[in-house]
Amino acid sequence: MSETLSSAAMLTCLGVLGLLVGSFLNVCIHRLPRDLSIAFPASHCPSCHTPLRWSHNVPVVSWLVLGGRCAFCSAPIHWRYPVVELANAALWVLHAWWLPWDALFIVRIAFASALLVLFFTDLDCRILPNEITLGGTVAGLLAAVFLPPGIVNALLGVLLGGGVLWATGAAYERLRGVEGMGMGDVKMLAMIGAVLGWQLMLLTLVWSSLAGGLLGAVLLARRADARTTALPFGSFLAPAALAASLVGQPVLDWYLGFYR
Ligand SMILES: [Zn+2]
């Protein structure tokens, strides 16, 4: 009983911490694609530039209390703000429930938060900031020196992930004469390879391509100009990498079991 209680208390603390970090992720999502500093100035309304009071900065609660509007100028505040905060908290709690609480757990929740940022910057601005993709690749490689998937596997993940996507993009560009794959996607898959290793990176690529292909087919069927509408591939890579991080290994073991 007391053990259940203490783990419930831990999950609650982690959830609250997840909300607070989610609030910072919102700053990253807004500022990184615009090349603004994430440290200065302090949080302010993007519309009237009035600095926020602490009471306007409480995750989710402030947005609800203020009715989704700025307290000073009443400009609407994007729904993305509470959603990112809640999503980050939910992802952290999900990881805590699913994974053992060890050093790898810290790596994986940081990875999940990075993927959350990339999902929204690609969706909103079609930009995957280097601070996250390249920074994540370096951090992933450093962690892999001590933790799974191991440094060799992680290095293979970076080379293969970056290489495969770069070659696909170059081939597409030669065939169609337009850029089909941005360098941001290449660097993002390299980061995924650094954190998950080359096998789970390939699984991520397969899952995201299937999801992207499916949505492309739906758009084409609805006569939207899907052939020239570039889908934000990073927004497909992000949930696929998250799924691979959580359930990829059992899926891979099950699949490879057929060949043993
Ligand atoms: Zn305002």
Side-chain angles (χ1 to χ4, degrees):
M1 177 62 197
S2 69
E3 199 170 297
T4 324
L5 209 64
S6 76
S7 84
M10 287 291 275
L11 285 180
T12 309
C13 286
L14 196 72
V16 171
L17 197 62
L19 284 174
L20 293 170
V21 171
S23 186
F24 171 69
L25 299 183
N26 273 316
V27 175
C28 295
I29 291 168
H30 179 73
R31 295 190 189 180
L32 287 181
R34 294 167 178 83
D35 279 329
L36 301 170
S37 160
I38 53 169
F40 300 101
S43 297
H44 55 271
C45 167
S47 194
C48 67
H49 304 285
T50 314
L52 301 185
R53 296 200 194 109
W54 70 267
S55 60
H56 302 145
N57 232 342
V58 183
V60 185
V61 178
S62 293
W63 192 87
L64 288 175
V65 169
L66 294 171
R69 289 182 177 279
C70 169
F72 305 104
C73 72
S74 296
I77 304 165
H78 205 288
W79 53 263
R80 193 184 64 221
Y81 285 86
V83 165
V84 166
E85 287 156 358
L86 282 173
N88 193 59
L91 285 173
W92 282 23
V93 171
L94 176 70
H95 277 71
W97 173 72
W98 189 250
L99 299 175
W101 296 12
D102 52 16
L104 189 62
F105 166 76
I106 306 288
V107 173
R108 292 299 176 86
I109 59 170
F111 182 55
S113 295
L115 292 172
L116 191 59
V117 171
L118 293 174
F119 176 85
F120 279 104
T121 59
D122 206 21
L123 201 64
D124 280 5
C125 309
R126 302 293 158 97
I127 285 175
L128 297 163
N130 283 336
E131 287 89 341
I132 308 282
T133 56
L134 295 182
T137 303
V138 173
L141 286 174
L142 284 175
V145 174
F146 309 100
L147 298 167
I151 187 65
V152 176
N153 196 336
L155 276 171
L156 280 172
V158 172
L159 294 175
L160 207 61
V164 165
L165 219 50
W166 180 82
T168 312
Y172 185 90
E173 203 170 333
R174 184 159 280 196
L175 285 172
R176 305 288 296 271
V178 289
E179 191 178 287
M181 198 64 70
M183 281 309 285
D185 301 310
V186 172
K187 286 178 266 187
M188 182 174 174
L189 196 61
M191 175 191 97
I192 293 166
V195 177
L196 299 182
W198 70 271
Q199 293 106 327
L200 291 179
M201 179 279 296
L202 284 181
L203 190 67
T204 301
L205 187 58
V206 170
W207 281 349
S208 57
S209 304
L210 284 175
L214 214 62
L215 189 76
V218 169
L219 288 177
L220 207 61
R222 294 180 62 184
R223 290 161 164 268
D225 210 349
R227 275 167 303 177
T228 50
T229 309
L231 293 174
F233 192 52
S235 300
F236 289 94
L237 278 174
L242 195 66
S245 170
L246 288 168
V247 299
Q249 200 55 53
V251 169
L252 218 54
D253 291 343
W254 170 78
Y255 185 73
L256 294 174
F258 290 117
Y259 297 98
R260 286 207 183 104

